[in-house]
Amino acid sequence: MDKKQERIHLLERQCERLRRRITQLDQRSNFYSWARVIIFFGGLLVSTVASLIAWWLGLATALLTLIGFAVLAYVHGKVERSLARHTLLLHIQTTYIARMKLDWEQIPSAYTEPPAENHPFALDLDIVGKRSLHQLLNMAISREGSQRLCDWLLASEPDLETIHARQRLAQELIPLTLFRNKLVMHSLLATRRAAEHVEGRRLLRWLEQHTSSTHELRLLVWGSVVLNMLTVVLFALAQVMAMPQLWSLSLLCAVIVLFTTANKRGDIFEDAVYLRYTFATLGAIFTYLEKYPYAQHTGLRQLCAPFLEDRQHSPSRLLEKLERVASAATLKNNRLLWLMINALLPWDAYCAYRLSHYKTVIADRLPTWLDVWFELEAINSLATFAYLNPEYILPQVVSRAARQQEGDKLFQAIELGHPLIPVEKKVSNSFTFDKTGEVVIITGSNMAGKSTFLRTLGINLCLAYAGGVVNAQSLHTELFILFTCIRVSDSVIDGYSYFYAEVKRLRRMLDALEQCDAAMQRPLFFLIDEIFKGTNNRERLSGSRAYIRAFVGHHAVGAISTHDLELVKLTDVLQGVHNYHFREEVIDGNMVFDYVLRAGPCPTTNALKIMRMEGLPVE
């Protein structure tokens, strides 16, 4: 049994334990539900009977009933919260198994914005969309975290330092299974209470619209304090020295100020409740990151430093303070008591001032906290992908200077496989580019694996540049500008034929080559499937030869698949061109493919064989 199967069995056993625990918690929850019903109605009946005997006996019985009901409600709430956590953990574990088995129906869809028009490789390599690499990797719950991971996978100009930083952090997170699971669990718990995926961006917009001037509110508080103190002093003097009842005037002024400054204070109760509720949905996640014992996990601690630096304004402390303001603001529900207290104390003014202060603090810190969370979600996706695929390896992505100093090849992959193909159907191949200026021509029969191999090269480069592990025994590569022409479609709306759409894409690829030649920094890594297949044989062959000549010897490397066996003769006249092929066999009347990449041109074709096998006439 290989490492992946062992990990699948481990996760399946964990899922079974979670199911048993969920069953037990569900039974306990049902028990407490019925117990609460029985105590409530039973206590009501007993209290009624006891009150007929003696009023104090009925009161005591009712009090005991309320205490018992409150205790049961508290315990029941704990059981319900535990049940919710275990259910979410089971959901997380089952999606892990689905990701390992490529059970796409059980893998949650991933939010992304449509990639930029004419992106150099997004659609060709199945990076986004249904059954894509992004869907397979994405463990982010927030839209922004999901989009950030997608942006990493679609980066057209990867940065070496950024790649290495992500690799280090992802490697640090791989063994922290409990941390990763709880991060996703808290995110799921938070978003289940929200109308959208995440309330963060909405909350920031709300704060921009509802932030009052803290300075003006501070002046209002002090002004109210002066009026309240004046009222007390004048009242005391009137009682002691028989002065005129001037305190009534200052009291009237305090009431007038209370009502005339209502717009400045805003709706304290509504704002406090909304801010407390909305921030609490995120606060559960932030508080978890704030209180996690990072110990020797220096990279993770450095990333989460914004939650740890200012303890006075940490997420948990802000939640407590918002709770107090919201509780104080409930006084407005009793209008008479509210008027009396505000006439004597700057109650509303102080609540508005404190709420404004907390709004400012949250507005200042929330963008940083959200950014850390989104970054952590994307890194967590890379780490989880590595954990679920223990046979994958961390690629060596190096600079050109380091590669030249070590004398390494430009690109070298050993046993490279496609991560979106199930293990039982996957065939891995080794492949190398020695230096820039090389072009590989891949020939082979229909369905032999040419297109899949091109996608295998491209999708593993995307993984490597995002900072993730790759499906290989080893991968050593320099930074490239990746550009593909694999899945070209015509456009009825724009009036493009398939051939014209392909020509336009190949023109953009040639423009990218010119930029690489001019900059002489990152080489172009291009992948072309069935070049010029939208036109006739003679023109396709002529155009393909000219196009390949344009790349040979330039600041680029790439692979081109084709059915035109005449193209393999370019190796005789162009030094940088190399031939590879896939082949097939006919066994007992069936086509058999081994999907193994071999050196040299393809010695066989199968189009007529397929036609004959399906009963079509063949000359």
Side-chain angles (χ1 to χ4, degrees), residues 303-557:
L303 176 62
C304 298
F307 296 106
L308 312 173
E309 292 169 345
D310 187 358
R311 293 293 185 180
Q312 186 65 24
H313 295 108
S314 65
S316 60
R317 292 294 297 275
L318 284 172
L319 277 173
E320 293 173 2
K321 293 173 181 177
L322 284 173
E323 185 72 37
R324 289 198 290 269
V325 173
S327 299
T330 57
L331 179 66
K332 196 172 184 179
N333 294 333
N334 188 327
R335 301 294 292 187
L336 180 60
L337 184 62
W338 169 78
L339 181 60
M340 292 171 59
I341 290 180
N342 275 282
L344 300 173
L345 295 170
W347 188 273
D348 268 25
Y350 182 72
C351 287
Y353 167 69
R354 297 308 298 171
L355 183 60
S356 177
H357 172 69
Y358 297 144
K359 285 180 182 178
T360 303
V361 171
I362 293 174
D364 288 342
R365 288 162 175 75
L366 187 59
T368 302
W369 289 343
L370 288 173
D371 186 69
V372 171
W373 179 37
F374 301 151
E375 186 82 6
L376 191 54
E377 282 196 305
I379 289 290
N380 180 48
S381 298
L382 297 178
T384 301
F385 180 68
Y387 173 78
L388 298 179
N389 296 277
E391 74 279 16
Y392 290 8
I393 56 93
L394 195 68
Q396 292 179 290
V397 185
V398 299
S399 64
R400 185 194 309 176
R403 178 186 66 81
Q404 292 175 343
Q405 184 176 359
E406 295 294 328
D408 294 325
K409 298 182 183 299
L410 185 65
F411 175 90
Q412 185 173 34
I414 298 177
E415 295 299 313
L416 194 68
H418 199 300
L420 303 185
I421 296 178
V423 175
E424 61 274 12
K425 298 180 180 180
K426 187 184 305 185
V427 175
S428 300
N429 286 288
S430 299
F431 190 73
T432 300
F433 281 119
D434 292 325
K435 59 183 184 299
T436 56
E438 294 183 352
V439 176
V440 167
I441 297 175
I442 303 176
T443 50
S445 305
N446 296 289
M447 304 181 295
K450 302 187 299 298
S451 302
T452 299
F453 177 70
L454 294 181
R455 290 191 175 95
T456 299
L457 292 172
I459 201 169
N460 279 287
L461 272 180
C462 291
L463 273 170
Y465 294 161
V469 294
V470 296
N471 186 182
Q473 283 188 9
S474 73
L475 176 62
H476 189 96
T477 180
E478 191 178 310
L479 289 178
F480 295 104
I481 300 296
L482 181 60
F483 207 118
T484 64
C485 182
I486 298 175
R487 185 180 286 132
V488 180
S489 60
D490 53 8
S491 175
V492 176
I493 296 176
D494 295 330
Y496 293 161
S497 66
Y498 174 90
F499 176 70
Y500 188 57
E502 182 186 17
V503 167
K504 286 175 68 67
R505 189 161 185 84
L506 292 175
R507 173 66 256 184
R508 287 193 294 272
M509 187 180 291
L510 205 57
D511 292 340
L513 173 66
E514 293 173 358
Q515 294 175 5
C516 290
D517 278 345
M520 288 304 291
Q521 293 180 357
R522 298 173 186 148
L524 181 69
F525 194 109
F526 65 92
L527 302 167
I528 305 174
D529 186 34
E530 301 293 345
I531 185 170
F532 294 133
K533 64 181 177 182
T535 187
N536 61 74
N537 292 346
R538 182 175 61 83
E539 292 178 313
R540 178 172 64 246
L541 182 59
S542 176
S544 300
R545 284 172 174 165
Y547 198 79
I548 292 172
R549 288 178 186 273
F551 281 83
V552 173
H554 286 263
H555 200 52
V557 290

